[in-house]
């Protein structure tokens, strides 16, 4: 049985200070604080139902090889899992607090093609519209993920298509922001994160069925 008791009270302050001084010296001097945060994230994963396992905590170092911003450390910590069909479950902590998400943040080219085909379908498209509306009625925010939607209609689709907004998406993700609510420092956090992922399952199941993992990806 897990002993998860929430994230440390110091966690938000740590990431706020790291954003202000993203240096190796700060990191070395404060690594013990990060280690406690990482341990709490691992405990959060253990406290969540096994249907969402395995969950992986991302490494703290940024990949700066091709980035203009050479700051070495991420100013957040994230943890994710993945369904058999390629959708993700995700939870994230930074100076602003926590949020949880489920879906596909950024589709590969072949996934975008399958997504648009399904959205345009006379049955599958309305199914997605209904799913989005239901999730939003349950307090989740559903949007296009990391990339902004197309500003104009995708090639091959009419501008007046009844689902043109969805056709312009290149991702589909359901999120709920917890912010800095006091209960993120308690065991209740595991219940709230899991509730987001369970609520979002109609979306992830639709994506797993119609979009699937990118072609060529080993499962």
């Amino acid at each position: 049985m897990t002993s998860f008791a929430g994230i440390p009270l110091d966690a938000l302050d740590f990431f706020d200070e790291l954003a202000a001084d993203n240096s190796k010296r700060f990191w070395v001097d404060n690594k013990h604080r990060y280690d406690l945060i990482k341990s709490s994230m691992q405990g959060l994963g253990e406290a969540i139902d096994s249907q969402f396992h395995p969950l992986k905590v991302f490494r703290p170092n940024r990949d700066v090889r091709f980035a203009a911003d050479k700051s070495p450390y991420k100013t957040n910590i994230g943890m994710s899992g993945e369904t058999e069909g390629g959708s993700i479950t995700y939870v994230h902590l930074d100076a602003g607090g926590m949020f949880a998400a489920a879906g596909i943040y950024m589709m590969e080219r072949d996934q975008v093609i399958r997504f648009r085909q399904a959205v345009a379908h006379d049955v599958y498209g309305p199914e997605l519209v209904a799913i989005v509306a239901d999730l939003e009625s349950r307090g989740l925010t559903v949007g296009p993920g990391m990339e902004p939607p197309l500003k104009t209609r995708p090639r091959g689709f009419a501008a007046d298509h009844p689902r043109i907004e969805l056709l312009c998406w290149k991702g589909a993700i359901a999120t709920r922001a917890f912010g800095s609510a006091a209960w993120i420092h308690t065991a209740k956090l595991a219940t709230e994160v899991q509730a987001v992922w369970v609520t979002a399952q109609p979306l992830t199941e639709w994506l797993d069925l119609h979009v699937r993992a990118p072609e060529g990806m080993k499962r």
Side-chain angles (χ1 to χ4, degrees):
M1 180 178 294
T2 182
S3 58
F4 176 69
I7 65 164
L9 291 170
D10 176 56
L12 275 61
D13 288 340
F14 170 81
F15 285 116
D16 190 40
E17 294 167 26
L18 178 61
D21 183 6
N22 199 309
S23 66
K24 185 173 182 180
R25 179 172 181 176
F26 175 88
W27 183 261
V28 171
D29 289 346
N30 292 274
K31 178 70 162 41
H32 62 287
R33 298 167 68 191
Y34 173 81
D35 289 341
L36 288 175
I37 297 167
K38 179 180 178 181
S39 178
S40 73
M41 290 290 283
Q42 292 169 330
L44 171 62
E46 293 168 3
I48 290 172
D49 191 277
S50 60
Q51 69 173 304
F52 298 109
H53 291 178
L55 293 165
K56 177 184 177 182
V57 177
F58 296 126
R59 62 187 180 87
N61 303 85
R62 295 181 64 249
D63 184 352
V64 299
R65 289 174 298 173
F66 308 107
D69 178 5
K70 299 298 183 182
S71 53
Y73 306 105
K74 297 174 184 175
T75 55
N76 59 70
I77 186 170
M79 178 172 64
S80 75
E82 187 173 352
T83 68
E84 284 295 321
S87 296
I88 64 99
T89 50
Y90 181 72
V91 61
H92 173 108
L93 168 68
D94 60 20
M98 299 201 73
F99 78 90
I104 302 179
Y105 266 113
M106 185 170 60
M107 296 175 187
E108 299 293 339
R109 189 171 185 177
D110 62 289
Q111 291 180 300
V112 172
I113 292 171
R114 291 192 294 273
F115 176 74
R116 289 177 180 158
Q117 289 172 340
V119 170
H121 192 277
D122 290 341
V123 175
Y124 308 143
E127 283 180 357
L128 180 58
V129 171
I131 289 169
V132 170
D134 182 62
L135 297 192
E136 290 181 338
S137 75
R138 295 171 182 266
L140 301 189
T141 299
V142 185
M146 291 182 67
E147 289 195 27
L150 295 177
K151 294 182 179 179
T152 60
R153 65 176 179 84
R155 183 178 301 176
F157 297 96
D160 61 351
H161 191 285
R163 292 178 293 282
I164 189 63
E165 181 179 351
L166 287 173
L167 286 168
C168 290
W169 287 12
K170 291 181 281 185
I173 197 84
T175 66
R176 175 174 287 160
F178 304 136
S180 56
W183 52 258
I184 69 173
H185 304 293
T186 73
K188 180 182 177 182
L189 176 60
T191 302
E192 294 293 331
V193 170
Q194 182 168 313
V196 171
W197 295 350
V198 169
T199 302
Q201 279 183 323
L203 175 63
T204 57
E205 290 170 357
W206 189 94
L207 292 169
D208 289 350
L209 179 62
H210 301 295
V211 179
R212 305 187 304 279
E215 291 179 359
M217 178 176 287
K218 294 181 179 179
R219 311 300 302 165

